[in-house]
Amino acid sequence: MTISDQDILFLGECLKDAARAEIMPRFRNLGDTDVSEKTSATDLVTQADLLAEHRITAALKERFPSALVVGEEAYDADKSVVPALADAELAFVIDPVDGTFNFAAGLPVFGTMLAVTVRGETVAGIIHDPALGDTVTAIRGAGAFLMRRDGQSSRLKVAEPAALNQMVGGMSWGHMEEPDRSRICANMAKARMTFAFNCSAYEYWMVASGKMHFIGHAKLMPWDHLAGVLAHQEAGGHTAKFDGTPYRPGETTGGIISAPDKESWQLVRREIVGI
């Protein structure tokens, strides 16, 4: 199964359409009944998440009727869809509003993510910023590009390697368990500057465009990482799980680090993750 250039354009338009129709009209305009807790007060779902995912899924099913569609919000109803990504002939993975806590708080740091996998390999990824209208698109073997709302396009490139005390980075230690949580949080003081966006879409855009040197996560749900990992790799970076193995569709455990190159990755793993 192959994905054509026209398919990529179609997928990008799907995300933009959902942003215009379902996400941005609700931004800073949510009622009390439009927001619900999933597992905690910081793990939320809004009507924008649900309706955007439904809209994107319907468009995908119409164009690719035999494809597997894995949406973050639909996952609760059928958890078998995630391991099925390892072998699916064609699959689409959707995060309708990545950074839902930020979105619900009125902070414009959120994004819509979509990854395309073919037989267990991510072949395309799209990250759309509904607030700014910018879109990152990555195609395996063809690079990663940022398309601005006004049509300007630029190729993405990761940051140059640097000493740890000169690196800018972020590790999602807030989602980790002890003792990893405290150890990694303390080790972040070794970096020059740290960020915590609570939004994979922004983190992968920052690391793929060279604005940050490294990012890391313990939680590996596919809608948070597949599109971003491909964008980072196509921008020249090195991404691997904590144990050094590649991250593949269908995997949900093991932790992950993205850095400019393998040597930088090893440095972050040793000095920040501490393993």
Side-chain angles (χ1 to χ4, degrees):
M1 180 69 194
T2 59
I3 294 293
S4 69
D5 291 345
Q6 288 302 311
D7 290 332
I8 296 296
L9 292 174
F10 167 80
L11 296 174
E13 286 304 314
C14 283
L15 302 195
K16 294 174 186 178
D17 173 67
R20 289 189 297 263
E22 308 294 359
I23 298 173
M24 290 311 296
R26 293 175 172 84
F27 181 53
R28 295 179 175 171
N29 195 34
L30 293 169
D32 292 340
T33 60
D34 293 332
V35 185
S36 303
E37 292 186 12
K38 294 167 75 173
T39 61
S40 71
T42 59
D43 184 16
L44 306 177
V45 62
T46 73
Q47 285 297 300
D49 296 79
L50 298 170
L51 294 172
E53 183 173 307
H54 179 78
R55 192 180 188 95
I56 296 168
T57 299
L60 292 173
K61 283 294 190 181
E62 182 175 356
R63 188 176 179 102
F64 308 96
S66 63
L68 173 67
V69 179
V70 179
E72 178 182 7
E73 306 311 330
Y75 169 71
D76 287 338
D78 182 7
K79 291 181 169 54
S80 69
V81 294
V82 168
L85 288 170
D87 301 307
E89 180 68 22
L90 174 66
F92 299 94
V93 183
I94 311 163
D95 192 339
V97 182
D98 181 70
T100 300
F101 183 88
N102 298 347
F103 176 80
L107 183 66
V109 181
F110 55 90
T112 302
M113 305 175 75
L114 184 147
V116 186
T117 71
V118 174
R119 295 183 293 277
E121 180 179 55
T122 308
V123 299
I126 302 173
I127 304 173
H128 179 61
D129 182 335
L132 294 179
D134 297 344
T135 306
V136 170
T137 301
I139 301 173
R140 181 164 296 280
F145 296 84
L146 173 65
M147 178 70 75
R148 297 288 189 184
R149 185 197 295 268
D150 63 7
Q152 295 185 59
S153 178
S154 59
R155 188 166 188 143
L156 297 183
K157 185 179 184 299
V158 299
E160 294 295 325
L164 183 59
N165 64 3
Q166 296 301 311
M167 286 188 185
V168 177
M171 295 288 293
S172 294
W173 56 265
H175 296 287
M176 298 176 182
E177 302 295 333
E178 296 292 1
D180 296 343
R181 178 186 176 97
S182 294
R183 182 186 71 252
I184 291 173
C185 182
N187 284 341
M188 286 299 291
K190 299 176 183 179
R192 178 70 175 181
M193 185 180 293
T194 65
F195 286 91
F197 293 106
N198 195 36
C199 176
S200 293
Y202 254 72
E203 291 168 1
Y204 279 112
W205 174 78
M206 291 284 278
V207 79
S209 62
K211 306 298 189 299
M212 294 172 69
H213 292 87
F214 69 88
I215 58 173
H217 304 81
K219 188 178 179 182
L220 299 186
M221 301 313 290
W223 41 82
D224 290 327
H225 299 290
L226 290 179
V229 166
L230 181 64
H232 180 253
Q233 291 172 333
E234 288 298 320
H238 181 78
T239 293
K241 295 171 67 176
F242 286 172
D243 65 2
T245 59
Y247 170 60
R248 302 188 185 284
E251 296 180 338
T252 59
T253 60
I256 195 169
I257 301 168
S258 297
D261 58 15
K262 188 172 183 178
E263 290 72 23
S264 300
W265 182 94
Q266 292 171 332
L267 178 63
V268 172
R269 178 180 183 267
R270 182 178 67 249
E271 297 295 330
I272 300 295
V273 180
I275 57 175

